[in-house]
Amino acid sequence: MKDINIAALIPHAGSMVLIDQVVAWNQDEITCLAGSHRDLSNPLRNHIGVPATAGAEYGSQAAALHGGLLGRRADGYLVALRDLRLNVARLDDIGNDLIIHARCLAADNQSIVYNFEMTQQEGGATLLAGRVTVALMEHK
């Protein structure tokens, strides 16, 4: 699915577009690939590297991308991050691409809720997982 214009479907631009490719998606879920965690200019990188907590942004972008593919509005605010489970300290030292899987739990005109999980392309062990809630902006 390399022909999907990811930047056109999420509320991010430039180097903040962290996802490289959509692997698969359907009405309920999406699976994406990302290699931006290895990029020295990753905007989420600090003086040590890319912390695992940055994975919540990858999960949020996968959720926004899924919503965009379904024709939902992508403009909103992250209002809750719950059940974040980190099994690694950093992402930048993972040599393989990241697989981000997001599953929609609930969606309406006011908000969306997604579970997400990140694994590495080779090995498959869960690096982190959590749940995001996004409040959608009201248009007048």
Side-chain angles (χ1 to χ4, degrees), residues 26-61:
N26 60 33
Q27 191 71 22
D28 300 317
E29 57 196 1
I30 189 168
T31 302
C32 307
L33 282 179
S36 60
H37 61 293
R38 297 183 303 260
D39 189 342
L40 294 177
S41 63
N42 183 313
L44 303 179
R45 180 181 284 273
N46 62 27
H47 66 284
I48 297 170
V50 179
T53 53
E57 178 62 28
Y58 284 82
S60 297
Q61 284 193 25

Side-chain angles (χ1 to χ4, degrees), residues 75-89:
D75 50 343
Y77 295 99
L78 179 68
V79 294
L81 174 62
R82 303 228 192 269
D83 301 326
L84 185 63
R85 296 173 310 281
L86 305 173
N87 296 324
V88 295

Side-chain angles (χ1 to χ4, degrees), residues 3-4 9 13 26 43 57 78 80-81 89 94 99 104 122 131:
D3 57 342
I4 295 174
L9 295 172
N26 60 33
E57 178 62 28
L78 179 68
L81 174 62
I94 296 168
I99 299 172
C104 184
E122 301 294 327
R131 184 174 68 241

Side-chain angles (χ1 to χ4, degrees), residues 97-119:
D97 281 351
L98 303 174
I99 299 172
I100 305 100
H101 181 82
R103 179 170 183 76
C104 184
L105 301 177
D108 59 29
N109 291 331
Q110 283 88 35
S111 64
I112 55 173
V113 181
Y114 277 81
N115 274 345
F116 67 89
E117 179 183 46
M118 179 184 288
T119 60

